[in-house]
């Protein structure tokens, strides 16, 4: 088998394979290779509908609960860090002890809650526990945060009127991000409760003596509403990402099932074509070729051929008597069912007896015992199988009430063989040797209902069987030439035969839920007749076992995907403990992949949600502007300019990020279209492409992110700068400013805590760009803290020198800096957990990508192998996992051309060397010839030609087995193909002769082809229980075989109706005359097709060139075929 030939085969197979890519593969290609995707897969409504349609909501809630457990564990660590830090600062400044103790108590009370929520059985039994824990945490945080100002107010301390809650923003973020709440409405209600409680304390305690209490409360209300909105936004965006991730993870489990299924399918496919002793070499070479397909081949990927030698084997040839009459007398479906029942039982019997079926050629079924491993009982196994086959065909004949007296003629010989694969395509395991030919002739010289064996086989049987002389040499020239002594096995007496029949298993394959085979004992001929209806029903349910068991298992495995997903959810490592101890191939501190090659592809992932981040930034900017409007004098022009510029920048960014989404929504509001055309307007198309660029370009997204965050930060800092300029203009010493003067100064500027709130909104927004790298966001957060701290401490210290603080003796400026610092830490912890989950998700995608690649490789191999025993459209039918596995495959064609081409002057061995030493070299030459014939199939003019099989040195092919014509008796589709099937196949036969002549010149041989062609109605189907075999049947097939056997070397002989078709097409055909043909009573008129020295078909002179390729008039062809059908029915012996 040549390397170039195998490359052609691979190319042909892979082109068909790559057209069927799974939905998961599409998604992986989009996410890992950054190819265009459909934004609709990320729409919140679309995802929710998918979950409802697939009934996944309950499983999704479990998945969400696991993720929330991870966030809650992060919250406990975060709360401990903030509480200890705050308590430490209070201890350093010698603040009142109750304040520090309260923070420590809150930290201590949070830890037991971890053990409660992580008790999955408890939470599963009492689902309300998660809500109860969440409410307890919120109440605890409210008590701690509001308790301090209320405590000092109740004690009437001097600092009571300047204290405010410290962790308002933190508590609100905890409600929306860190608590184990599965419903958004629950988080929203808790957020409103926190907001109302803090506004109440601010109004009754903090701002009680302030002159502008209502303006300040209004600004705080706007800020709290913004934080609530951002928290709800975070939950919605996270839900979209989590649902998308959930579907991907579930697809990963389905992919695993598919990989395992296709691995098993590949194994069964291999074993159905090639015995196990060759399978490893073939698989290795195929996978090697697939791995090297995208790179230059550095070595020859395939050996010349796969052929091995075996000594001490027995060969059985079996012929079905009256087979030809059976194929033309039964309806299509009955014929396929009968043949499948018959040959399926033969397969099961051969498997039971330890005999390897090689193939069946029409009515001939042959097999070998002693391959691949030596079996000392190989002769006995073949004899027992022969007796079984005679009994089986009798049972089938009686069960199906067949009119034809079907019987078996068995021939067995023992010796040595060469076995393996030949050709480029349609691989078929075969055997060759002189002993194989002797076994074949033993069958031909046998008698119906008898097992015919040679003396070599008899010597291996011992005294287990009674034999009588067979005298086969008197009936066969080959046996006479080699002086073969033959014998018939004498059947046991009637009583013994019935006893053996009762003990012999009834080979009826059925499939239970597990797909296991059941062998039931035969009840004897009389009982078979009494229950013929039952047995016939069993026989009608016999189906191809070759892939159906795996198909059933695959379908069952997909049904268990939810169970597997539940197990995967249970084993998810989402907590802080898991992150540091289990690693998951991710550095727990830097959150980088241990495989650094993953980093860049991870960063380049698309972000279909980025447009929502930009839209949210507009919402935040408007909130900041509202706070400014409520407390900023109109004389401060710098902040207004800053807000105006920032609004202009964001409004410019909106069409650059939203155009693709809005266009898709406008053109497909109901999400029904598969393809949405791009805008034709140039400007609109430019915005459309820009929005796509934003989704797929990480650099573009990062640039937009920095522009948005810098714009928001500038708006915050401009107010500090304006107030600093006003303060310098007053020219007063800060140490001499009285309290009333300070209130006037603060009133002239925005309230200090409102400036800090604006900075807090900037920080929150900078962290809510979810797919921006978390380290960049943390660095930007630190820069904002440093910048703001400089403004507080250096630029405008007098503004932040007095006013509300968190705790007594805690300087106000420090409280402001602690506020933005603690908020940044909270946001960073939240971001780290989100980043960790994103990286886990990406690791799953990587795993899925590897599995999908493996699955695709297996799928290619499966397609290659399956197409080497079945036509492409039949192979596609078998690989369709949605098909009914109880259905038999068969088709009926109205017009098919069939060709048999035999190699004459070819000898497998030299009669002068009886040891067969030159058989291997002869096989190599035969392989070269068949490979060159196969390569003709890849020519564009021969794509409709299907290679059916190679029997010895006879090549069988057909033309007209077109897909999409199953169970159809319609005529040829003239609009699809311009050339008649007879013309296509005849040209193919002439090309084969040209190829053979070239080989003769190169190898100094004198081989010739004897070709026979016929056409007409043909039945095609797949039969065989263990090894599927695609074959065609019908009178046209039989006649094509007879045309070859009665033909002459170097000529193409055709039937009369086939010659009429060629003549109508302008091809010169010469009448040979009437000849005797096997199975036909009357003499049959045949024709020879003429071709020139270049093996081009000779045209009739009176036909113009323009008409040579014209299509035959339908009525004339139909008239010829109908007349020939009538003659066939009259001449066929039934």
């Amino acid at each position: 088998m040549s390397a170039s030939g195998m490359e052609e085969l691979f190319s042909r197979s892979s082109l068909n394979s790559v057209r069927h890519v799974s939905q998961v593969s599409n998604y992986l290609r989009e996410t890992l290779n950054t190819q265009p995707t459909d934004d609709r897969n990320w729409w919140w409504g679309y995802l929710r509908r998918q979950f409802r349609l697939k009934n996944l909501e309950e499983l999704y809630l479990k998945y969400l609960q696991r993720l929330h457990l991870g966030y809650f564990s992060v919250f406990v660590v975060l709360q401990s860090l903030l509480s200890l830090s705050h308590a430490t600062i209070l201890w350093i400044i010698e603040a009142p002890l109750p304040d520090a103790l309260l923070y420590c108590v809150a930290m201590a009370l949070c830890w037991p809650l971890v053990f409660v929520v992580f008790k999955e059985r408890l939470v599963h039994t009492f689902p309300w526990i998660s809500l109860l824990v969440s409410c307890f945490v919120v109440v605890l945080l409210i008590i701690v945060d509001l308790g301090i100002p209320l405590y000092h107010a109740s004690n009437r301390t001097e600092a009571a009127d300047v204290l405010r809650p410290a962790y308002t923003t933190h508590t609100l973020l905890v409600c929306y991000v860190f608590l184990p709440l599965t419903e958004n409405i629950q988080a929203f209600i808790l957020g409103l409760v926190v907001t109302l409680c803090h506004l109440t304390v601010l109004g009754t305690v903090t701002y009680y003596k302030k002159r502008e209490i209502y303006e300040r409360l209004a600004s705080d209300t706007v800020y709290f509403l913004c934080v609530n909105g951002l928290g709800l936004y975070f939950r919605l965006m996270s839900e979209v990402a989590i649902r998308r991730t959930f579907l991907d993870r579930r697809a990963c489990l389905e992919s695993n099932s598919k990989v395992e299924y296709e691995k098993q399918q590949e194994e069964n496919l291999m074993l159905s074509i090639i015995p196990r002793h060759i399978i490893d070499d073939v698989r290795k070479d195929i996978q090697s070729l697939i791995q090297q397909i995208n790179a230059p081949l550095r070595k020859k990927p395939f050996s010349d051929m796969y052929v091995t030698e075996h000594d001490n084997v027995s060969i059985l040839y079996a012929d079905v008597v009256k087979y030809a009459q059976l194929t033309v007398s039964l309806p299509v479906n009955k014929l396929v069912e009968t043949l499948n029942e018959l040959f399926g039982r033969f397969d099961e019997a051969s498997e039971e007896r330890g005999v390897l079926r090689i193939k069946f050629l029409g009515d001939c079924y042959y097999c070998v015992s002693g391959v691949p491993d030596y079996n000392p009982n190989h002769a006995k196994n073949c004899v027992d199988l022969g007796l079984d086959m005679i009994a089986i065909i009798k049972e089938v004949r009686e069960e199906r009430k067949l009119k034809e007296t079907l019987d078996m003629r068995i021939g067995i010989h023992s010796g040595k063989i060469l076995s393996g694969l030949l050709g480029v395509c349609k691989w078929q395991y075969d055997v060759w040797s002189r002993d194989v030919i002797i076994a074949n002739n033993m069958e031909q010289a046998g008698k119906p209902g008898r097992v015919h064996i040679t003396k070599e086989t008899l010597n291996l049987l011992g005294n287990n069987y009674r034999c009588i002389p067979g005298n086969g040499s008197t009936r066969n020239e080959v046996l006479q030439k080699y002086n073969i002594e033959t014998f018939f096995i004498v059947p046991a007496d009637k009583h013994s035969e019935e006893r053996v029949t009762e003990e012999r298993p009834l080979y009826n394959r059925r499939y239970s839920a597990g797909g296991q085979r059941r062998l039931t004992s035969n009840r004897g001929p009389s009982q078979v007749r009494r229950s013929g209806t039952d047995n016939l029903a069993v026989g009608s349910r016999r189906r191809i076992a070759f892939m159906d068991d795996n198909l059933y298992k695959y379908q069952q495995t997909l049904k268990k995907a939810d169970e597997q997903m539940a197990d995967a959810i249970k084993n998810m490592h989402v907590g802080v403990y898991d992150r540091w101890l289990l690693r998951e191939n991710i550095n727990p501190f830097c959150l980088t992949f241990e495989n650094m090659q993953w980093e860049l592809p991870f960063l380049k992932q698309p972000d279909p949600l980025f447009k929502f981040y930009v839209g949210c930034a507009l919402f935040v900017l408007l909130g900041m502007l509202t706070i400014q409007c409520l407390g900023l004098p109109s004389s401060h022009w710098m902040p207004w300019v800053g807000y105006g510029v920032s609004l202009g920048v964001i409004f410019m960014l909106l069409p650059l990020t939203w155009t693709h989404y809005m266009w898709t929504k406008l053109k497909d509001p109901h999400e029904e279209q598969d393809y949405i055309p791009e805008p034709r307007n140039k400007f609109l198309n430019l915005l459309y492409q820009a929005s796509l660029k934003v989704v797929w370009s990480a650099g573009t997204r990062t640039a937009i992110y920095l522009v948005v965050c810098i714009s928001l930060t500038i708006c915050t800092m401009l107010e500090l700068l304006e107030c600093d300029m006003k303060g310098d203009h007053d020219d007063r010493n800060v140490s001499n400013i009285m309290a009333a003067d300070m209130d006037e100064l603060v009133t002239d500027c925005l309230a200090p805590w409102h400036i800090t709130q604006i900075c807090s909104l900037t920080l929150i927004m900078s962290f809510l760009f979810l797919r921006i790298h978390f380290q960049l966001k943390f660095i930007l957060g630190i820069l904002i803290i440093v910048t703001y701290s400089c403004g507080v401490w250096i630029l405008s210290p007098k503004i932040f020198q007095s006013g509300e603080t968190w705790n007594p003796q805690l300087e106000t400026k420090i409280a402001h800096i602690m506020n933005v610092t603690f908020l940044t830490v909270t946001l960073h912890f939240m971001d780290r957990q989100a980043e960790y989950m994103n990286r886990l998700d990406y690791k799953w995608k990587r795993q899925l990508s590897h599995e999908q690649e493996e699955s695709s490789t297996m799928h290619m191999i499966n397609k290659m192998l399956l197409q080497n025993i079945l036509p492409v459209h039949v192979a596609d039918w078998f690989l369709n996992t949605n098909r009914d596995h109880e259905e038999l495959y068969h088709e009926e064609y109205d017009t098919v051309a069939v060709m048999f081409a035999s190699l004459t002057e070819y000898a497998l061995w030299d009669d002068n060397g009886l040891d067969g030493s030159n058989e291997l070299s002869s096989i190599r030459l035969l392989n070269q010839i068949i490979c060159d014939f196969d390569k003709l199939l890849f020519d564009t003019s021969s794509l409709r030609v299907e290679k059916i099989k190679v029997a010895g040195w006879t090549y069988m092919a057909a033309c007209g087995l077109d897909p999409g014509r199953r169970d159809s008796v319609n005529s040829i589709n003239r609009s699809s193909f311009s050339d008649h099937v007879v013309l296509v196949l005849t040209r193919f036969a002439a090309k084969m002769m040209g190829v053979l002549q070239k080989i003769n010149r190169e190898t100094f041989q004198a081989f010739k082809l004897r070709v026979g062609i016929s056409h007409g109605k043909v039945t095609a189907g797949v039969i065989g229980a263990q090894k599927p075999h695609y074959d065609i049947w019908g009178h046209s097939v039989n006649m094509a075989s007879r045309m070859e056997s009665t033909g002459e070397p170097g000529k193409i002989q055709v039937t009369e109706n086939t010659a009429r078709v060629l003549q109508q097409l302008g091809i010169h055909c010469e009448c040979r005359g009437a000849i005797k043909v096997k199975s036909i009573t009357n003499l049959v008129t045949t024709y020879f097709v003429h071709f020139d020295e270049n093996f081009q078909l000779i045209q009739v002179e009176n036909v113009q060139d323009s008409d040579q390729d014209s299509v035959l008039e339908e009525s004339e062809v139909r008239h010829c075929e109908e007349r020939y059908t009538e003659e066939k029915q009259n001449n066929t012996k039934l």
Side-chain angles (χ1 to χ4, degrees), residues 140 408 446 552 923 1003 1036 1054:
L140 179 64
M408 297 300 297
Y552 177 80
I923 289 296
T1003 59
S1036 299
V1054 299

Side-chain angles (χ1 to χ4, degrees), residues 1030-1045:
Y1030 179 81
D1031 209 346
I1032 56 178
W1033 310 278
H1035 183 73
S1036 299
V1037 179
N1038 300 334
M1039 288 303 298
S1041 176
R1042 304 296 185 250
M1043 290 299 98
E1044 178 274 318
S1045 60

Side-chain angles (χ1 to χ4, degrees), residues 86 103 141-142 144-150 162-169 171 194 197-203 205-207 220 224 753 757 804-807 815 819:
H86 199 160
Y103 293 130
L141 294 179
I142 290 176
V144 172
D145 201 22
L146 302 184
I148 291 177
L150 290 175
V162 293
L163 295 184
R164 66 181 289 121
Y167 292 100
T168 307
T169 308
T171 305
V194 172
C197 290
H198 282 77
L199 285 176
T200 301
V201 171
L202 288 172
V205 177
T206 305
Y207 300 148
D220 286 330
F224 292 153
W753 280 104
Q757 287 174 350
E804 304 94 2
T805 185
W806 285 357
N807 304 94
N819 182 283

Side-chain angles (χ1 to χ4, degrees), residues 656 659-660 678-679 684-694:
L656 295 177
T659 302
H660 178 265
E678 297 181 358
L684 194 58
N685 187 267
L686 180 64
L687 295 177
Y688 181 89
Q689 297 298 331
S691 60
L692 279 178
K693 177 72 173 178
V694 169

Side-chain angles (χ1 to χ4, degrees), residues 17-33:
S17 298
V18 297
R19 292 173 185 168
H20 305 284
V21 183
S22 68
Q23 181 179 359
V24 183
S25 297
N26 283 330
Y27 176 72
L28 285 170
R29 186 181 68 248
E30 294 161 357
T31 55
L32 296 181
N33 299 333

Side-chain angles (χ1 to χ4, degrees), residues 257-299:
S257 302
K258 185 176 181 181
V259 169
E260 291 303 319
Y261 158 73
E262 291 194 344
K263 284 181 179 178
Q264 187 62 42
Q265 186 187 40
E266 177 208 11
E267 188 76 12
N268 285 355
L269 280 167
M270 282 280 198
L271 292 176
S272 71
I273 309 167
I274 312 162
R276 191 174 293 278
H277 65 286
I278 295 180
I279 191 173
D280 293 335
D281 292 337
V282 176
R283 182 191 288 114
K284 181 179 179 180
D285 284 344
I286 293 177
Q287 291 178 340
S288 175
L289 179 61
I290 292 175
Q291 292 171 359
Q292 300 176 32
I293 194 64
N294 294 323
L297 294 175
R298 300 177 181 177
K299 63 177 182 178

Side-chain angles (χ1 to χ4, degrees), residues 901-906 926 929 953-954 996 1007-1010:
S902 289
L903 195 63
T904 63
E905 307 300 329
Y906 175 83
L926 179 62
I929 296 172
W953 34 90
T954 299
L996 186 59
F1007 300 139
K1008 291 186 177 181
L1009 274 183
R1010 186 175 62 229

